[in-house]
Amino acid sequence: MLVLALVGLSFATAAFAAGQLPTFLESVQPDELFEGADRFGDPVGDPPIAPVYRGDDLLGYVYLNSDFTSSVGYSGKPIHIAVGIDPSGIIKGFKLLEHHEPIVLIGIPQAKVVAALNSIIGKDLGKVASGAERPPEVDIVSGATVTVLVMGDSVVRSAVSLIRSNRLGGGQPGGGQQLPDVKTLDLSKDQASDWQTLLGDGSVRSLRLTVGEVSKAFQEAGHPEAASHPETANPEDRFIDLYIAPVNVPVIGKTLLGDVAYQRLADKLKPGQSAILVAGDGTYSFKGSGYVRGGIFDRIELLQGGQGLRFRDRDHTRIAALAPSDAPRLREIALFVVPPEFAFEVTEPWELEMLVQRSSTGARDKSVIPFTIGYTLPSGYYTVTKAEVPATPAAQAPQVASPQASDPKLTPDEQPLWKRMWEMNSVEIAITVAALLVLTAIFFFQDWLVKRPRFFGWLRTGYLVFTLVWLGWYANAQLSVVNVLTFTNALVTNFSWEFFLAAPLIFILWAAVAAGLLFWGRGPFCGWLCPFGALQELLSIVAKRLKVPQVTIPWGLHERLWPVKYIIFLGLFGMSFYSMAYAEMLSEVEPFKTAIILKFIRDWPFVVFALVLLGASLFIERFYCRYLCPLGAALAIPGRIRTFEWLKRWPECGSPCQRCAKECPVQAIHPEGPINVNECIYCMHCQELYHDDHRCPHMIQVRLKREKFMALSTPDSRGEKKPPKTLLTHNGEPVK
């Protein structure tokens, strides 16, 4: 959800409040964390940890991950996990206590997510804390990547933090230990160089992979299905050229960013902070798209000293191009500021790990393997002094010039993220805009079209097919009531257009819907642009041709059922202010995700629910739209402000004639004649009748008068203008 990224920082801050272990400890049994354990001791310290015993024997300790490190997930709220760790730093067990991750609550089984973390159990994180080993990797769960990565990172980082605090009593190195040489950045060296020089002396490190090399790596890792699904047919095609460099180092920063941009970066950084530039080109994106939804770059991880960091969107700034004239033009260039809470020393070796994902057997199954770039800062950029006193990683932090806050923008012409997203989706945007222009023309020239019902029927059916197949199943541009809830929540929190602009097709459709509300109400979306609505209507067309009996809901019952969708919307709207995660869970009353986004590849209860609604539409046209759709209700409310009335009516409509009311596909016309625009989907069937001089009684009378006049004006065989005794017939009855 885009709005969750907006509020994530505030929740992350809340996660570091006073330790919450005592609150959650009553929800954990000792033997869930340590085999044979029978009791907990009293929590001690800040953040608190509690000893775990078997009789009088101390087995280890239990702590809460969120007490030690950030554990904010996709929902914007902390994920609380109780972790059991023995005195030597080995993870013995864990229990997921509380989370608000919507993808787990409503889609991915929680057991599958928890199972992905089992690879951490039994790992000696004391070696990770000392830097002897790299952090263990958790298994990736397709569809819940961000959530699983946050859980795994928080468990590992919190354990490392606890071990380094020497509170476990496991003999972890402590004070009095003489440190190796202290390295300090030499800020006097700040003359810009060029791209080839930096690449040649190791200031910029690279990883270059072909499609064939990646396929071979998947094969060797035991993923033959992924190996057989390459990105391109030619194995020699470039998979990615990945470059990394620390740009808080003056020479490197001034060269790659330019003098002005580097100074702005230096002004932005706090003392001890570093910034990493990551750039790539090829068929694979090191950014991916997960950060747009969940705010976390889940494909890359910064590793140093046994700890890992996955950057968040708030740490990221997009760079349009590298400053050196001899630098290549790269598809993606990102600047990541290392957050202060991650102890990073730019003069010590570090790594950037990139996770490569490929589709496996199923549509949602993915295989993942890591590739790593190691980086060691060339010795010419720092000075070395002897150190005789202990120091923590924080004491060895790098120096940067001018640590004053300033404008975070790097260059006057840099493009923000949302612009890049629009460039990447330019073809889809063009098709969507063209489709909206066609729909606008249909509405403006509706009188000409509805007078040609056969042509208009084919046109409408074709547009519905386009909406379902291309807009829905291909582009996944299905609007949802969740969009309404997130936008409303953003207005009352930390609103930013950029987060909404990052999804171009959704933004364009919402802009079109907003404009359409002023002219036609909810009809343009509900009747023409909703993929699920199109699916219902197309199924209804097929059902009618197959002679499936159609059910007409009595008017009295019908007008008591349509308010149900407004009640559902108001319930979701109120819940969103309490918990967006719960609101999204309840919004599964919309079958859009199942039928359109996931194409029915989902757990059976969701599929059954969607199929039941579609089955109902075979007998009652657009059953879901009429009575249950909260998005339709949300659009109907502002749709009342429309300033134009495009649907025409005759004085006889409703009294005595009720043909339009009886034939309206969604019963949006009151028996007395008025059209309820709140319920109208603007199918224009009533307008076809309005102009039809063989079905509309008013137009029949107009036609008969015209024919009578023409008959009176036509001379007979003797040259006299006399009317015949009978005129043309209507429904088999002669008109005198």
Side-chain angles (χ1 to χ4, degrees):
M1 307 292 293
L2 297 176
V3 72
L4 299 179
L6 290 170
V7 300
L9 182 58
S10 62
F11 284 119
T13 304
F16 287 98
Q20 301 181 63
L21 177 65
T23 303
F24 289 99
L25 202 55
E26 60 187 23
S27 303
V28 186
Q29 297 300 318
D31 58 358
E32 292 180 293
L33 304 179
F34 290 86
E35 184 177 357
D38 53 27
R39 66 186 177 92
F40 293 121
D42 294 331
V44 295
D46 185 21
I49 61 174
V52 185
Y53 296 96
R54 182 195 298 127
D56 294 330
D57 296 332
L58 176 67
L59 300 181
Y61 299 87
V62 58
Y63 70 90
L64 195 66
N65 67 321
S66 55
D67 285 346
F68 284 83
T69 188
S70 172
S71 60
V72 178
Y74 181 74
S75 67
K77 291 188 176 182
I79 300 170
H80 299 296
I81 303 174
V83 184
I85 186 170
D86 73 5
S88 64
I90 297 177
I91 299 294
K92 292 297 186 179
F94 62 86
K95 181 179 181 180
L96 178 59
L97 299 175
E98 182 181 275
H99 72 88
H100 301 274
E101 299 299 277
I103 193 64
V104 180
L105 292 170
I106 62 177
I108 307 298
Q110 180 167 303
K112 185 175 182 180
V113 173
V114 173
L117 304 179
N118 287 337
S119 58
I120 300 176
I121 296 177
K123 297 297 184 181
D124 186 352
L125 296 189
K127 295 179 180 179
V128 177
S130 66
E133 291 185 0
R134 291 169 50 188
E137 290 288 342
V138 298
D139 296 330
I140 299 299
V141 177
S142 180
T145 303
V146 171
T147 296
V148 172
L149 291 176
V150 168
M151 289 180 177
D153 281 352
S154 67
V155 170
V156 173
R157 292 182 63 189
S158 59
V160 169
S161 176
L162 177 58
I163 293 168
R164 288 179 173 174
S165 69
N166 294 322
R167 297 174 60 191
L168 297 180
Q172 190 69 15
Q177 184 181 26
Q178 183 171 339
L179 291 179
D181 296 341
V182 175
K183 302 172 184 177
T184 306
L185 282 180
D186 186 354
L187 301 179
S188 64
K189 298 180 179 180
D190 60 356
Q191 296 299 313
S193 181
D194 58 74
W195 172 259
Q196 289 300 329
T197 299
L198 295 185
L199 199 61
D201 65 13
S203 300
V204 175
R205 300 294 173 90
S206 64
L207 172 68
R208 301 184 178 186
L209 297 169
T210 65
V211 172
E213 289 171 337
V214 174
S215 298
K216 182 180 178 182
F218 274 108
Q219 187 70 41
E220 294 175 348
H223 302 292
E225 298 88 356
S228 63
H229 290 82
E231 289 72 19
T232 63
N234 185 359
E236 298 302 318
D237 285 349
R238 177 173 51 189
F239 180 78
I240 193 171
D241 288 349
L242 190 66
Y243 301 92
I244 60 172
V247 287
N248 61 301
V249 178
V251 173
I252 301 175
K254 289 188 175 182
T255 302
L256 298 181
L257 303 178
D259 290 340
V260 175
Y262 167 76
Q263 189 58 49
R264 287 178 176 169
L265 172 65
D267 291 343
K268 175 185 176 181
L269 296 177
K270 298 177 181 178
Q273 264 192 301
S274 295
I276 308 298
L277 184 137
V278 184
D281 199 15
T283 61
Y284 191 72
S285 166
F286 68 83
K287 289 184 178 182
S289 60
Y291 71 100
V292 177
R293 303 185 307 273
I296 296 178
F297 291 83
D298 55 7
R299 292 189 177 183
I300 56 174
E301 182 177 15
L302 178 65
L303 303 171
Q304 188 181 62
Q307 294 210 70
L309 169 70
R310 282 190 167 85
F311 295 105
R312 300 190 68 90
D313 51 5
R314 60 175 175 266
D315 307 320
H316 165 260
T317 304
R318 185 190 175 276
I319 307 297
L322 297 175
S325 58
D326 60 336
R329 185 169 183 82
L330 302 174
R331 185 166 65 94
E332 292 180 322
I333 308 174
L335 175 66
F336 296 104
V337 174
V338 181
E341 61 266 22
F342 183 77
F344 179 77
E345 170 54 73
V346 73
T347 59
E348 296 297 328
W350 53 276
E351 297 175 331
L352 187 81
E353 182 178 80
M354 177 182 66
L355 297 180
V356 174
Q357 304 177 5
R358 262 193 190 173
S359 297
S360 183
T361 53
R364 296 181 60 196
D365 293 331
K366 292 183 181 295
S367 298
V368 181
I369 57 173
F371 289 88
T372 303
I373 312 178
Y375 189 96
T376 301
L377 188 68
S379 58
Y381 293 122
Y382 57 83
T383 59
V384 181
T385 56
K386 296 292 181 180
E388 301 295 335
V389 295
T392 64
Q396 303 178 35
Q399 302 178 34
V400 294
S402 306
Q404 302 295 325
S406 182
D407 186 353
K409 295 180 180 178
L410 294 179
T411 59
D413 59 343
E414 84 173 335
Q415 290 183 322
L417 167 66
W418 67 269
K419 288 188 178 180
R420 180 59 177 168
M421 297 299 293
W422 284 61
E423 291 176 358
M424 294 173 61
N425 293 276
S426 57
V427 175
E428 289 83 357
I429 291 171
I431 294 174
T432 303
V433 171
L436 292 174
L437 291 175
V438 170
L439 183 59
T440 303
I442 291 174
F443 281 9
F444 273 95
F445 297 99
Q446 64 183 45
D447 287 345
W448 185 88
L449 289 169
V450 295
K451 291 177 182 179
R452 296 157 177 82
R454 183 178 295 274
F455 172 73
F456 180 72
W458 282 106
L459 176 63
R460 175 165 171 76
T461 302
Y463 203 98
L464 292 176
V465 171
F466 166 82
T467 296
L468 173 62
V469 177
W470 191 90
L471 207 57
W473 286 337
Y474 176 79
N476 287 339
Q478 169 73 67
L479 303 188
S480 167
V481 71
V482 176
N483 302 136
V484 178
L485 302 180
T486 54
F487 184 81
T488 305
N489 274 261
L491 290 176
V492 298
T493 54
N494 185 19
F495 183 81
S496 172
W497 278 111
E498 292 194 7
F499 288 95
F500 296 96
L501 288 166
L505 298 188
I506 299 297
F507 183 86
I508 290 172
L509 286 175
W510 272 115
V513 169
L517 289 175
L518 296 176
F519 286 83
W520 303 284
R522 60 176 277 206
F525 172 75
C526 295
W528 296 80
L529 294 173
C530 177
F532 189 77
L535 177 58
Q536 289 182 92
E537 185 164 334
L538 292 172
L539 287 175
S540 180
I541 292 173
V542 173
K544 291 174 183 177
R545 292 189 177 181
L546 295 177
K547 308 300 182 181
V548 174
Q550 300 297 295
V551 178
T552 301
I553 304 296
W555 178 260
L557 177 60
H558 170 69
E559 66 177 353
R560 285 164 177 78
L561 287 177
W562 79 42
V564 172
K565 60 179 173 286
Y566 295 92
I567 297 173
I568 294 174
F569 169 68
L570 292 176
L572 293 174
F573 186 75
M575 178 59 71
S576 69
F577 288 99
Y578 171 72
S579 169
M580 273 300 305
Y582 286 136
E584 182 166 352
M585 179 179 66
L586 295 175
S587 71
E588 282 297 316
V589 69
E590 289 183 330
F592 303 163
K593 183 184 297 183
T594 301
I596 304 301
I597 305 301
L598 300 179
K599 305 173 185 66
F600 297 100
I601 303 175
R602 206 173 182 193
D603 292 338
W604 69 267
F606 298 98
V607 175
V608 169
F609 177 66
L611 291 178
V612 167
L613 294 177
L614 291 173
S617 69
L618 297 176
F619 304 93
I620 304 173
E621 186 168 344
R622 286 183 176 255
F623 172 82
Y624 176 78
C625 299
R626 294 199 210 183
Y627 306 123
L628 298 177
C629 183
L631 179 58
L635 296 178
I637 295 172
R640 297 181 65 88
I641 66 173
R642 73 190 191 286
T643 55
F644 302 95
E645 186 56 68
W646 296 75
L647 300 179
K648 300 176 180 179
R649 309 293 285 154
W650 296 115
E652 299 91 333
C653 292
S655 178
C657 179
Q658 295 186 3
R659 182 157 190 169
C660 289
K662 292 178 179 179
E663 294 191 17
C664 177
V666 293
Q667 293 180 265
I669 302 177
H670 196 279
E672 295 181 358
I675 297 175
N676 186 342
V677 182
N678 289 346
E679 304 302 314
C680 178
I681 62 170
Y682 224 93
C683 66
M684 301 189 207
H685 179 71
C686 61
Q687 299 305 287
E688 290 185 47
L689 292 176
Y690 178 90
H691 292 284
D692 193 327
D693 59 7
H694 284 78
R695 292 189 295 167
C696 174
H698 176 91
M699 290 301 298
I700 290 173
Q701 293 301 318
V702 172
R703 176 176 61 83
L704 294 178
K705 291 179 181 179
R706 182 176 64 250
E707 291 174 350
K708 181 178 181 180
F709 174 78
M710 294 298 295
L712 289 172
S713 303
T714 303
D716 59 15
S717 58
R718 295 175 294 178
E720 298 178 357
K721 295 182 179 180
K722 294 182 178 180
K725 295 183 179 180
T726 60
L727 296 176
L728 299 179
T729 62
H730 173 58
N731 292 334
E733 296 294 331
V735 179
K736 300 294 184 180

